[in-house]
Amino acid sequence: NAKTKKSDNRVMTFTIDGGENKRYFYGDFIAPAINLGLVSKMYIVTLRDLITQRHEELDGSLCSIRLSNEFIRDSKSYLELSSLFDKHAKALKFELSFEVSDSFALNNTAAVKHFVERFAKYGFGFGINSFTGESSDFTYLKQLNPKFLKADCAFLLDQSQDSMSALQVITDSLGIEIIATFVKNQEELASLQNMHINSVQGPVTDTIQNS
């Protein structure tokens, strides 16, 4: 948050420990995992660890995890996630939120809403990432009612005043926070703040928190 100069939330990802000082990052293994049909199993294992094990470094914070399109599409994911939440959600010491991509939410609104309703039952948040303004019809945002919407800094700064006004009218009316991602420097931050956008992700956060 560029106004308070404090971190409002953390975005979480996961890696695979290959032993012998080998670590495989999300971008390295997600494509093979998709090809092997292992995405849902990997997410469930990761979320089970996150929810059932104590992670003191997360206490009192808001953490967000991006769910892949493949996970949402898998019919087993919903049931396994529900079972996990039923048993362990109340014991969490931190707030949890989930994200899906804008394009997927737009084209699979009913499937995403199914998950969103489950998240809400346990007090978990929901947000949209990778917003591209693919549709000028924001009905899906009204149906899903996300807490936040993440858009690339370059995309936001490239919008016309009319386009940004239309987006901000709908986000303000629904109480959706716009978060700019991949913000690199103070110049971009200043331009975003002129558009009344103060929540940012990216390298610039290091300079905000150290100022």
Side-chain angles (χ1 to χ4, degrees), residues 16-157:
I16 294 178
D17 183 356
E20 299 180 357
N21 296 319
K22 291 182 180 179
R23 301 189 74 189
Y24 301 94
F25 295 96
Y26 188 86
D28 299 326
F29 63 73
I30 192 60
I34 291 172
N35 292 334
L36 293 170
L38 294 174
V39 173
S40 292
K41 183 175 291 186
M42 291 176 64
Y43 267 92
I44 290 297
V45 168
T46 302
L47 290 169
R48 182 177 292 115
D49 176 270
L50 178 65
I51 292 176
T52 63
Q53 303 298 316
R54 181 70 187 278
H55 299 278
E56 294 183 2
E57 71 278 11
L58 303 180
D59 285 359
S61 62
L62 169 61
C63 303
S64 184
I65 288 187
R66 178 175 183 174
L67 297 178
S68 72
N69 301 346
E70 290 73 22
F71 183 83
I72 300 292
R73 286 194 182 102
D74 190 331
S75 59
K76 295 180 182 178
S77 297
Y78 181 85
L79 295 176
E80 293 193 53
L81 207 57
S82 296
S83 176
L84 188 62
F85 290 166
D86 283 340
K87 295 176 182 176
H88 305 286
K90 292 182 179 179
L92 280 183
K93 303 295 183 181
F94 58 90
E95 293 184 66
L96 187 58
S97 186
F98 295 94
E99 305 175 18
V100 300
S101 69
D102 178 56
S103 179
F104 186 80
L106 171 63
N107 295 298
N108 301 272
T109 305
V112 173
K113 187 175 182 180
H114 198 43
F115 276 82
V116 171
E117 290 172 346
R118 178 59 56 167
F119 299 153
K121 178 180 177 181
Y122 300 97
F124 298 152
F126 168 71
I128 298 287
N129 64 44
S130 305
F131 181 79
T132 60
E134 181 180 336
S135 172
S136 58
D137 181 358
F138 296 124
T139 301
Y140 73 107
L141 291 181
K142 295 177 182 178
Q143 293 177 349
L144 298 176
N145 195 26
K147 299 295 183 183
F148 57 84
L149 181 158
K150 294 181 177 180
D152 190 301
C153 172
F155 167 81
L156 292 171
L157 296 180

